[in-house]
Amino acid sequence: MIKKTGHNKDVTLAFGIVTKTDPLTVKLDDTGLETSTLVPLGHLLPAYYPAHIIFNDSLGQREASIMIDNELDQNDRVAVIYDDTDNKITGFILDKVEV
């Protein structure tokens, strides 16, 4: 946003809910507006990310590698940061929020 406007400006941190996934649309809690102009951060894009875990079970301590799918789905709660200058919403989906 700084690059686009050439200076730092106030932005709003808010929460919302994913109402559609194609196109990715979020309804903002604070305004009730729906927007498809928010860009998800890279870890929320459709992809699988490797993770290494250590767990204990009846066989003792073991290690495993798993793949985590963090893609956004309809009805996911999200944290967003946006600017609504000139009645146009520009911003990012920061992360999923546990309910």
Side-chain angles (χ1 to χ4, degrees):
M1 284 185 267
I2 293 170
K3 184 176 180 181
K4 177 184 163 197
T5 60
H7 63 281
N8 200 2
K9 60 169 50 177
D10 292 337
V11 293
T12 303
L13 177 62
F15 296 95
I17 189 164
V18 175
T19 56
K20 289 190 276 186
T21 57
D22 190 19
L24 183 58
T25 305
V26 174
K27 182 177 182 180
L28 301 171
D29 290 352
D30 61 343
T31 64
L33 296 175
E34 283 193 59
T35 180
S36 60
T37 61
L38 297 173
V39 178
L41 295 185
H43 69 285
L44 298 173
L45 295 175
Y48 288 91
Y49 297 89
H52 186 76
I53 62 169
I54 299 173
F55 62 96
N56 291 304
D57 63 9
S58 61
L59 300 175
Q61 188 176 42
R62 298 189 292 157
E63 296 183 26
S65 292
I66 61 172
M67 298 298 280
I68 298 173
D69 177 11
N70 212 22
E71 180 179 2
L72 293 169
D73 293 315
Q74 189 171 355
N75 296 320
D76 279 347
R77 297 275 306 150
V78 292
V80 302
I81 189 167
Y82 71 91
D83 168 39
D84 61 356
T85 303
D86 300 327
N87 294 322
K88 181 178 178 187
I89 295 174
T90 305
F92 301 96
I93 301 172
L94 301 175
D95 212 344
K96 291 182 183 182
V97 178
E98 294 296 320
V99 179

